[in-house]
Amino acid sequence: MSPTADFTHRAQDVLLFLDVYRGRHERPRMVELANEQFITHEQRPELRQLAQLLLLARQQSELQRALDADRAQLHSGRLAHEARVTVGHHYEMMRRDACEYNHHLRGFVEANREHVSRADLTDWLTTASHGRRPWVEGEVTGAISEVALHAALMGLPELRQLRSGTVAGDLHGCAFIASWQGRVLSVDAKTGRFHPVMARKHDHLHLEVSVPREALDGFRLGRHGLDLLRRDIRRALHEAVGVNVHAAHAPYRPASVPVSSVVPSVISADQTGVLIYPQPQTA
């Protein structure tokens, strides 16, 4: 059986399990049973990762409504000080859960996009999240945009020690971290079309860049779009401080992610890990 067929059958099994047990058990017990059946004893890491992603999508879709409600209250300007502190604390806790889900989604897409189509993954996550397709499409778009940004950054030899940010870093908009001309540089992908924004954030440089549509074709990365993205990044860096002539682009290599850092044996919000990738060699 092909990897694509394996993913399809596993997704169907997990979604059927969630549908059957939804009315029989409370959510914590249902998640515990799903862990036992699809994660704890599964030998293939990619199937464990898919099952975990679908379970997290079910959980996050329910939390997202509360997250949206808290955000609306905080932006309304009608809360007293004590209420703002309480709602704000609750909001930040749920934001961490959202970042945890985003990390799992991005890791799955980057590791398995050759065997899973964007349409299929969107359909599975929509079913798992009780039909919240607009939310799912936004999350998938964000994940593949970060994968494209990672590919573009890996093709910039002037960036050293490139690594993914932790969940804690992602809460502050640091999707990737690198060393550039002896300085710490954090980079984050944004949706929409706008010029790159370079700023000083805390004690390091921070770059926000939009990923052009030309870089994405389903889950495939377009060379022309990646070149446009690298051009925008280099322009932003050059405008901040002059840079030396850069070397040729290095080919993109998918991340080699330790299974233990992305797919723990059971769902956990504590095992985030920091992924460090080898740098391209230049002549």
Side-chain angles (χ1 to χ4, degrees):
M1 188 177 296
S2 67
T4 300
D6 289 340
F7 279 124
T8 299
H9 289 143
R10 178 50 50 89
Q12 292 172 344
D13 290 343
V14 174
L15 294 174
L16 178 61
F17 180 94
L18 293 176
D19 185 58
V20 169
Y21 283 88
R22 181 175 57 179
R24 299 183 183 180
H25 303 284
E26 296 292 332
R27 184 167 62 85
R29 177 56 177 165
M30 183 178 69
V31 170
E32 180 183 353
L33 293 173
N35 266 309
E36 293 176 358
Q37 181 161 342
F38 298 111
I39 298 177
T40 304
H41 304 294
E42 175 57 56
Q43 298 299 314
R44 295 176 59 182
E46 68 275 13
L47 296 184
R48 291 203 308 269
Q49 193 175 5
L50 175 60
Q52 186 175 25
L53 180 62
L54 294 175
L55 293 177
L56 288 172
R58 171 62 60 91
Q59 172 181 306
Q60 188 57 39
S61 68
E62 297 170 355
L63 293 177
Q64 192 66 34
R65 294 183 177 88
L67 190 65
D68 293 341
D70 281 0
R71 184 187 299 112
Q73 289 189 68
L74 291 171
H75 291 172
S76 68
R78 295 191 297 268
L79 295 178
H81 174 70
E82 291 185 359
R84 287 188 61 188
V85 171
T86 300
V87 174
H89 179 68
H90 186 244
Y91 176 75
E92 289 301 322
M93 289 178 59
M94 290 189 295
R95 277 191 65 227
R96 183 178 180 85
D97 291 335
C99 286
E100 182 79 15
Y101 171 74
N102 291 339
H103 269 242
H104 282 283
L105 177 57
R106 186 181 75 196
F108 179 82
V109 170
E110 187 163 19
N112 303 292
R113 59 189 177 84
E114 293 184 1
H115 304 299
V116 176
S117 72
R118 182 169 182 169
D120 284 344
L121 183 60
T122 299
D123 287 343
W124 300 338
L125 293 174
T126 298
T127 301
S129 62
H130 302 294
R132 299 195 66 185
R133 180 170 286 271
W135 171 72
V136 168
E137 290 176 343
E139 295 294 307
V140 172
T141 297
I144 188 59
S145 294
E146 290 190 350
V147 171
L149 176 59
H150 180 208
L153 293 172
M154 290 186 72
L156 298 176
E158 59 265 41
L159 298 182
R160 303 293 180 182
Q161 299 176 336
L162 176 65
R163 60 192 186 275
S164 292
T166 62
V167 172
D170 203 21
L171 284 168
H172 298 285
C174 302
F176 300 98
I177 301 173
S179 174
W180 176 69
Q181 294 193 348
R183 305 181 181 186
V184 176
L185 173 70
S186 62
V187 188
D188 194 23
K190 296 297 182 183
T191 57
R193 301 185 68 87
F194 57 87
H195 293 293
V197 177
M198 174 73 88
R200 181 167 293 278
K201 193 170 187 178
H202 304 295
D203 58 348
H204 65 273
L205 295 175
H206 179 71
L207 174 64
E208 294 185 356
V209 58
S210 62
V211 177
R213 293 181 179 179
E214 294 87 348
L216 308 176
D217 179 14
F219 278 162
R220 292 181 296 178
L221 306 182
R223 177 57 189 257
H224 176 61
L226 292 180
D227 284 342
L228 292 176
L229 186 53
R230 293 187 183 105
R231 179 204 64 187
D232 290 344
I233 294 171
R234 281 194 167 111
R235 282 180 177 176
L237 295 175
H238 183 78
E239 290 173 1
V241 178
V243 298
N244 296 325
V245 177
H246 62 77
H249 295 325
Y252 167 65
R253 289 173 292 177
S256 178
V257 184
V259 171
S260 60
S261 67
V262 177
V263 191
S265 59
V266 295
I267 291 179
S268 170
D270 297 324
Q271 300 178 24
T272 56
V274 174
L275 313 182
I276 301 178
Y277 306 98
Q279 297 300 302
Q281 300 296 320
T282 57

